[in-house]
Amino acid sequence: QVQLVESGGGLVKPGGSLRLSCAASGFTFSDYYMSWIRQAPGKGLEWVSYISSSGSTIYYADSVKGRFTISRDNAKNSLYLQMNSLRAEDTAVYYCARAKNDYGDYLDIWGQGTMVTVSS
Amino acid sequence: SSELTQDPAVSVALGQTVRITCQGDSLRSYYASWYQQKPGQAPVLVIYGKNNRPSGIPDRFSGSSSGNTASLTITGAQAEDEADYYCNSRDSSGNHHVVFGGGTKLTVL
């Protein structure tokens, strides 16, 4: 079945780095734009970044630009989020999601999320 | 950048109709999509585009748009519809970003 599974979350100190992965299965990964969305504890959804199907087009939210890097490996059916210079306010559940259109907004498949905690 | 505004909480009696709204300048240019999120679960897409439902979403969910406001209507709300609902759309400021509303907590009485 169509599925996204995130991994790589955990506890990291402020200023540290973490790399999240999202493994896709059940669909042709290379055909779809993909997004990362996060949700701080008890808060709403926040768009983080999206990447085009080929990886040639990438956009970031202002809150993470310059610190986070989205990438994908279509041969491995995988999406990544490299997070550097982490701050307490980056603490959240991070979801990867498939975009139904050639943009990052119609998100029809979501993973279960992976928790990132930034704390000393 | 654009912002999307939602009422924090809405309630509806079981079996009645409820409308959840989302306001923002970007909605004058782009359609919203709507997501349902239950506690401890990932969001689920319920409406996208003009008024499209993914497979498996009951037809009691519908979407509409007028001016700067998008609406999600649940006709004949069920107990299982109690959840948080989020809208999102493209940012209309030309930065190619995506924006989410703050979410609406729906209570089914």
Short mmCIF file of all heavy atoms in Angstrom, two decimals, chain B residues 9-56:
data_model
loop_
_atom_site.label_atom_id
_atom_site.label_comp_id
_atom_site.label_asym_id
_atom_site.label_seq_id
_atom_site.Cartn_x
_atom_site.Cartn_y
_atom_site.Cartn_z
N ALA B 9 -12.16 27.36 17.52
CA ALA B 9 -13.04 26.27 17.92
C ALA B 9 -14.45 26.48 17.36
O ALA B 9 -14.94 27.61 17.27
CB ALA B 9 -13.10 26.16 19.44
N VAL B 10 -15.05 25.38 16.99
CA VAL B 10 -16.43 25.37 16.48
C VAL B 10 -17.10 24.11 17.04
O VAL B 10 -16.45 23.07 17.20
CB VAL B 10 -16.44 25.33 14.94
CG1 VAL B 10 -17.85 25.10 14.41
CG2 VAL B 10 -15.87 26.61 14.36
N SER B 11 -18.40 24.22 17.31
CA SER B 11 -19.12 23.03 17.77
C SER B 11 -20.37 22.82 16.91
O SER B 11 -20.88 23.76 16.30
CB SER B 11 -19.51 23.17 19.25
OG SER B 11 -20.36 24.28 19.44
N VAL B 12 -20.82 21.58 16.88
CA VAL B 12 -21.99 21.22 16.08
C VAL B 12 -22.72 20.09 16.78
O VAL B 12 -22.08 19.20 17.38
CB VAL B 12 -21.57 20.83 14.65
CG1 VAL B 12 -20.66 19.62 14.66
CG2 VAL B 12 -22.80 20.58 13.77
N ALA B 13 -24.03 20.12 16.70
CA ALA B 13 -24.82 19.01 17.25
C ALA B 13 -24.74 17.81 16.31
O ALA B 13 -24.64 17.97 15.08
CB ALA B 13 -26.27 19.42 17.45
N LEU B 14 -24.76 16.65 16.86
CA LEU B 14 -24.70 15.42 16.08
C LEU B 14 -25.78 15.43 14.99
O LEU B 14 -26.95 15.70 15.26
CB LEU B 14 -24.89 14.22 16.99
CG LEU B 14 -24.76 12.83 16.35
CD1 LEU B 14 -23.33 12.59 15.93
CD2 LEU B 14 -25.24 11.74 17.33
N GLY B 15 -25.35 15.18 13.76
CA GLY B 15 -26.28 15.12 12.64
C GLY B 15 -26.56 16.45 11.97
O GLY B 15 -27.20 16.48 10.91
N GLN B 16 -26.09 17.53 12.56
CA GLN B 16 -26.31 18.84 11.97
C GLN B 16 -25.18 19.21 11.02
O GLN B 16 -24.20 18.49 10.88
CB GLN B 16 -26.47 19.89 13.07
CG GLN B 16 -27.70 19.67 13.94
CD GLN B 16 -28.97 19.61 13.11
OE1 GLN B 16 -29.32 20.58 12.42
NE2 GLN B 16 -29.68 18.49 13.17
N THR B 17 -25.33 20.36 10.38
CA THR B 17 -24.36 20.84 9.40
C THR B 17 -23.48 21.92 10.03
O THR B 17 -23.98 22.78 10.75
CB THR B 17 -25.07 21.39 8.16
OG1 THR B 17 -25.79 20.32 7.53
CG2 THR B 17 -24.09 22.02 7.18
N VAL B 18 -22.20 21.85 9.73
CA VAL B 18 -21.25 22.83 10.26
C VAL B 18 -20.35 23.32 9.14
O VAL B 18 -20.00 22.56 8.23
CB VAL B 18 -20.42 22.23 11.40
CG1 VAL B 18 -19.57 21.06 10.94
CG2 VAL B 18 -19.54 23.30 12.07
N ARG B 19 -20.02 24.60 9.20
CA ARG B 19 -19.10 25.19 8.24
C ARG B 19 -17.88 25.70 8.98
O ARG B 19 -18.01 26.47 9.95
CB ARG B 19 -19.76 26.33 7.47
CG ARG B 19 -18.83 27.05 6.50
CD ARG B 19 -19.58 28.06 5.68
NE ARG B 19 -20.52 27.41 4.74
CZ ARG B 19 -21.27 28.07 3.87
NH1 ARG B 19 -21.23 29.38 3.82
NH2 ARG B 19 -22.07 27.42 3.07
N ILE B 20 -16.71 25.32 8.51
CA ILE B 20 -15.44 25.78 9.06
C ILE B 20 -14.80 26.67 8.01
O ILE B 20 -14.68 26.27 6.85
CB ILE B 20 -14.54 24.57 9.40
CG1 ILE B 20 -15.20 23.68 10.46
CG2 ILE B 20 -13.17 25.05 9.88
CD1 ILE B 20 -14.49 22.35 10.66
N THR B 21 -14.40 27.87 8.42
CA THR B 21 -13.89 28.83 7.44
C THR B 21 -12.40 29.11 7.60
O THR B 21 -11.82 28.89 8.67
CB THR B 21 -14.66 30.15 7.52
OG1 THR B 21 -14.48 30.72 8.82
CG2 THR B 21 -16.13 29.95 7.23
N CYS B 22 -11.85 29.62 6.52
CA CYS B 22 -10.43 29.93 6.42
C CYS B 22 -10.32 31.20 5.59
O CYS B 22 -10.82 31.24 4.46
CB CYS B 22 -9.72 28.76 5.75
SG CYS B 22 -7.97 28.98 5.36
N GLN B 23 -9.70 32.23 6.15
CA GLN B 23 -9.63 33.51 5.46
C GLN B 23 -8.18 33.90 5.18
O GLN B 23 -7.30 33.72 6.03
CB GLN B 23 -10.29 34.60 6.30
CG GLN B 23 -11.80 34.51 6.38
CD GLN B 23 -12.39 35.72 7.07
OE1 GLN B 23 -12.06 36.02 8.22
NE2 GLN B 23 -13.25 36.43 6.36
N GLY B 24 -7.97 34.48 3.99
CA GLY B 24 -6.64 34.96 3.67
C GLY B 24 -6.58 35.48 2.24
O GLY B 24 -7.34 35.04 1.37
N ASP B 25 -5.67 36.41 2.02
CA ASP B 25 -5.56 37.02 0.69
C ASP B 25 -5.19 35.99 -0.38
O ASP B 25 -5.61 36.11 -1.53
CB ASP B 25 -4.51 38.13 0.72
CG ASP B 25 -5.01 39.38 1.44
OD1 ASP B 25 -6.24 39.53 1.61
OD2 ASP B 25 -4.16 40.20 1.84
N SER B 26 -4.41 35.00 -0.01
CA SER B 26 -3.98 34.00 -0.99
C SER B 26 -5.16 33.23 -1.58
O SER B 26 -5.07 32.70 -2.69
CB SER B 26 -2.98 33.03 -0.37
OG SER B 26 -3.57 32.29 0.67
N LEU B 27 -6.29 33.20 -0.84
CA LEU B 27 -7.44 32.44 -1.29
C LEU B 27 -8.19 33.14 -2.42
O LEU B 27 -9.08 32.55 -3.03
CB LEU B 27 -8.38 32.16 -0.12
CG LEU B 27 -7.72 31.37 1.03
CD1 LEU B 27 -8.70 31.19 2.18
CD2 LEU B 27 -7.23 30.02 0.53
N ARG B 28 -7.81 34.37 -2.69
CA ARG B 28 -8.37 35.06 -3.87
C ARG B 28 -7.74 34.50 -5.15
O ARG B 28 -8.30 34.64 -6.24
CB ARG B 28 -8.11 36.56 -3.78
CG ARG B 28 -8.78 37.25 -2.60
CD ARG B 28 -8.58 38.76 -2.64
NE ARG B 28 -9.14 39.41 -1.47
CZ ARG B 28 -10.42 39.72 -1.32
NH1 ARG B 28 -11.29 39.43 -2.28
NH2 ARG B 28 -10.83 40.32 -0.21
N SER B 29 -6.55 33.89 -5.00
CA SER B 29 -5.82 33.39 -6.17
C SER B 29 -5.76 31.87 -6.23
O SER B 29 -5.65 31.30 -7.34
CB SER B 29 -4.39 33.94 -6.16
OG SER B 29 -4.36 35.34 -6.09
N TYR B 30 -5.76 31.24 -5.10
CA TYR B 30 -5.56 29.79 -5.04
C TYR B 30 -6.64 29.11 -4.20
O TYR B 30 -7.14 29.67 -3.23
CB TYR B 30 -4.19 29.46 -4.43
CG TYR B 30 -3.04 30.07 -5.18
CD1 TYR B 30 -2.30 31.11 -4.62
CD2 TYR B 30 -2.70 29.62 -6.45
CE1 TYR B 30 -1.24 31.67 -5.31
CE2 TYR B 30 -1.64 30.19 -7.14
CZ TYR B 30 -0.92 31.21 -6.57
OH TYR B 30 0.12 31.77 -7.25
N TYR B 31 -6.97 27.88 -4.58
CA TYR B 31 -7.88 27.09 -3.77
C TYR B 31 -7.16 26.59 -2.52
O TYR B 31 -5.95 26.36 -2.52
CB TYR B 31 -8.40 25.89 -4.56
CG TYR B 31 -9.36 26.24 -5.65
CD1 TYR B 31 -9.04 26.05 -7.00
CD2 TYR B 31 -10.62 26.78 -5.36
CE1 TYR B 31 -9.93 26.37 -8.01
CE2 TYR B 31 -11.51 27.10 -6.36
CZ TYR B 31 -11.15 26.90 -7.68
OH TYR B 31 -12.04 27.23 -8.68
N ALA B 32 -7.96 26.39 -1.48
CA ALA B 32 -7.43 25.79 -0.25
C ALA B 32 -7.55 24.28 -0.32
O ALA B 32 -8.32 23.73 -1.11
CB ALA B 32 -8.22 26.30 0.96
N SER B 33 -6.76 23.62 0.48
CA SER B 33 -7.01 22.22 0.78
C SER B 33 -7.25 22.12 2.28
O SER B 33 -6.86 23.02 3.04
CB SER B 33 -5.87 21.31 0.32
OG SER B 33 -4.63 21.76 0.80
N TRP B 34 -7.94 21.06 2.68
CA TRP B 34 -8.36 20.89 4.07
C TRP B 34 -7.88 19.55 4.60
O TRP B 34 -7.94 18.53 3.91
CB TRP B 34 -9.88 20.96 4.16
CG TRP B 34 -10.45 22.32 3.91
CD1 TRP B 34 -10.87 22.83 2.72
CD2 TRP B 34 -10.67 23.34 4.88
NE1 TRP B 34 -11.33 24.12 2.89
CE2 TRP B 34 -11.23 24.45 4.21
CE3 TRP B 34 -10.47 23.44 6.27
CZ2 TRP B 34 -11.58 25.64 4.87
CZ3 TRP B 34 -10.80 24.61 6.92
CH2 TRP B 34 -11.35 25.69 6.22
N TYR B 35 -7.47 19.56 5.87
CA TYR B 35 -6.92 18.37 6.52
C TYR B 35 -7.62 18.15 7.85
O TYR B 35 -7.88 19.11 8.59
CB TYR B 35 -5.41 18.52 6.75
CG TYR B 35 -4.67 18.82 5.47
CD1 TYR B 35 -4.57 20.13 5.01
CD2 TYR B 35 -4.15 17.80 4.69
CE1 TYR B 35 -3.96 20.42 3.81
CE2 TYR B 35 -3.53 18.07 3.48
CZ TYR B 35 -3.44 19.39 3.05
OH TYR B 35 -2.84 19.66 1.85
N GLN B 36 -7.90 16.89 8.13
CA GLN B 36 -8.47 16.49 9.40
C GLN B 36 -7.38 15.81 10.22
O GLN B 36 -6.67 14.94 9.71
CB GLN B 36 -9.61 15.49 9.16
CG GLN B 36 -10.23 14.91 10.42
CD GLN B 36 -11.12 13.71 10.09
OE1 GLN B 36 -10.65 12.63 9.72
NE2 GLN B 36 -12.43 13.89 10.22
N GLN B 37 -7.23 16.21 11.47
CA GLN B 37 -6.24 15.58 12.33
C GLN B 37 -6.87 15.19 13.67
O GLN B 37 -7.36 16.07 14.39
CB GLN B 37 -5.03 16.47 12.57
CG GLN B 37 -3.92 15.78 13.33
CD GLN B 37 -2.71 16.67 13.57
OE1 GLN B 37 -2.83 17.86 13.79
NE2 GLN B 37 -1.51 16.07 13.55
N LYS B 38 -6.83 13.91 13.96
CA LYS B 38 -7.31 13.43 15.25
C LYS B 38 -6.13 13.28 16.20
O LYS B 38 -4.98 13.16 15.75
CB LYS B 38 -8.05 12.11 15.06
CG LYS B 38 -9.31 12.29 14.20
CD LYS B 38 -10.08 11.00 14.00
CE LYS B 38 -11.31 11.26 13.16
NZ LYS B 38 -12.10 10.03 12.90
N PRO B 39 -6.38 13.31 17.51
CA PRO B 39 -5.27 13.28 18.49
C PRO B 39 -4.32 12.11 18.27
O PRO B 39 -4.75 10.96 18.11
CB PRO B 39 -6.01 13.15 19.83
CG PRO B 39 -7.33 13.80 19.58
CD PRO B 39 -7.68 13.44 18.16
N GLY B 40 -3.03 12.44 18.23
CA GLY B 40 -2.00 11.43 18.10
C GLY B 40 -1.85 10.85 16.71
O GLY B 40 -1.10 9.89 16.52
N GLN B 41 -2.56 11.41 15.74
CA GLN B 41 -2.51 10.89 14.37
C GLN B 41 -1.99 11.94 13.40
O GLN B 41 -2.00 13.13 13.69
CB GLN B 41 -3.89 10.42 13.92
CG GLN B 41 -4.45 9.28 14.75
CD GLN B 41 -5.79 8.79 14.22
OE1 GLN B 41 -6.16 9.05 13.06
NE2 GLN B 41 -6.53 8.07 15.05
N ALA B 42 -1.54 11.46 12.25
CA ALA B 42 -1.12 12.36 11.18
C ALA B 42 -2.34 12.99 10.53
O ALA B 42 -3.44 12.42 10.57
CB ALA B 42 -0.31 11.61 10.14
N PRO B 43 -2.18 14.16 9.93
CA PRO B 43 -3.30 14.76 9.20
C PRO B 43 -3.73 13.90 8.03
O PRO B 43 -2.95 13.14 7.46
CB PRO B 43 -2.72 16.10 8.73
CG PRO B 43 -1.60 16.39 9.67
CD PRO B 43 -1.02 15.04 9.98
N VAL B 44 -5.00 14.07 7.65
CA VAL B 44 -5.58 13.39 6.50
C VAL B 44 -6.21 14.43 5.60
O VAL B 44 -6.98 15.27 6.06
CB VAL B 44 -6.65 12.37 6.95
CG1 VAL B 44 -7.38 11.78 5.74
CG2 VAL B 44 -6.03 11.27 7.79
N LEU B 45 -5.89 14.38 4.30
CA LEU B 45 -6.49 15.29 3.33
C LEU B 45 -7.96 14.93 3.15
O LEU B 45 -8.28 13.78 2.84
CB LEU B 45 -5.74 15.17 2.01
CG LEU B 45 -6.23 16.03 0.84
CD1 LEU B 45 -6.02 17.51 1.12
CD2 LEU B 45 -5.53 15.62 -0.46
N VAL B 46 -8.85 15.93 3.30
CA VAL B 46 -10.27 15.66 3.11
C VAL B 46 -10.87 16.40 1.91
O VAL B 46 -11.82 15.93 1.30
CB VAL B 46 -11.10 15.96 4.38
CG1 VAL B 46 -10.71 15.01 5.51
CG2 VAL B 46 -10.96 17.40 4.83
N ILE B 47 -10.30 17.56 1.57
CA ILE B 47 -10.78 18.34 0.42
C ILE B 47 -9.58 19.04 -0.21
O ILE B 47 -8.70 19.56 0.50
CB ILE B 47 -11.80 19.41 0.83
CG1 ILE B 47 -13.12 18.76 1.28
CG2 ILE B 47 -12.07 20.40 -0.31
CD1 ILE B 47 -13.93 18.11 0.15
N TYR B 48 -9.54 19.06 -1.54
CA TYR B 48 -8.51 19.82 -2.24
C TYR B 48 -9.09 20.40 -3.52
O TYR B 48 -10.09 19.91 -4.06
CB TYR B 48 -7.29 18.95 -2.55
CG TYR B 48 -7.54 17.83 -3.53
CD1 TYR B 48 -7.27 17.98 -4.88
CD2 TYR B 48 -8.08 16.61 -3.10
CE1 TYR B 48 -7.50 16.95 -5.78
CE2 TYR B 48 -8.33 15.58 -3.99
CZ TYR B 48 -8.03 15.75 -5.33
OH TYR B 48 -8.27 14.73 -6.23
N GLY B 49 -8.47 21.48 -3.98
CA GLY B 49 -8.93 22.11 -5.20
C GLY B 49 -10.29 22.76 -5.02
O GLY B 49 -10.68 23.14 -3.93
N LYS B 50 -11.02 22.85 -6.12
CA LYS B 50 -12.31 23.55 -6.08
C LYS B 50 -13.26 22.86 -5.09
O LYS B 50 -13.91 23.50 -4.27
CB LYS B 50 -12.93 23.58 -7.48
CG LYS B 50 -14.18 24.45 -7.57
CD LYS B 50 -14.64 24.57 -9.01
CE LYS B 50 -15.83 25.51 -9.12
NZ LYS B 50 -16.30 25.63 -10.52
N ASN B 51 -13.38 21.55 -5.17
CA ASN B 51 -14.20 20.77 -4.25
C ASN B 51 -14.00 19.29 -4.57
O ASN B 51 -14.91 18.61 -5.05
CB ASN B 51 -15.68 21.15 -4.37
CG ASN B 51 -16.56 20.38 -3.39
OD1 ASN B 51 -16.07 19.84 -2.39
ND2 ASN B 51 -17.85 20.31 -3.68
N ASN B 52 -12.80 18.81 -4.32
CA ASN B 52 -12.46 17.43 -4.62
C ASN B 52 -12.18 16.64 -3.35
O ASN B 52 -11.49 17.14 -2.45
CB ASN B 52 -11.21 17.37 -5.52
CG ASN B 52 -11.41 18.11 -6.82
OD1 ASN B 52 -12.24 17.75 -7.64
ND2 ASN B 52 -10.65 19.17 -7.01
N ARG B 53 -12.75 15.43 -3.30
CA ARG B 53 -12.52 14.56 -2.15
C ARG B 53 -11.64 13.39 -2.56
O ARG B 53 -11.94 12.70 -3.54
CB ARG B 53 -13.86 14.01 -1.63
CG ARG B 53 -14.63 14.93 -0.72
CD ARG B 53 -15.96 14.33 -0.29
NE ARG B 53 -16.89 14.24 -1.41
CZ ARG B 53 -17.22 13.10 -2.02
NH1 ARG B 53 -16.69 11.95 -1.62
NH2 ARG B 53 -18.07 13.11 -3.02
N PRO B 54 -10.57 13.15 -1.79
CA PRO B 54 -9.78 11.93 -2.06
C PRO B 54 -10.66 10.70 -1.85
O PRO B 54 -11.66 10.76 -1.14
CB PRO B 54 -8.67 12.00 -1.01
CG PRO B 54 -8.60 13.43 -0.60
CD PRO B 54 -10.01 13.94 -0.71
N SER B 55 -10.26 9.61 -2.45
CA SER B 55 -11.02 8.37 -2.26
C SER B 55 -11.04 7.99 -0.79
O SER B 55 -10.04 8.16 -0.07
CB SER B 55 -10.41 7.24 -3.09
OG SER B 55 -9.08 7.00 -2.68
N GLY B 56 -12.20 7.54 -0.34
CA GLY B 56 -12.35 7.14 1.05
C GLY B 56 -12.89 8.21 1.96
O GLY B 56 -13.26 7.92 3.11
#
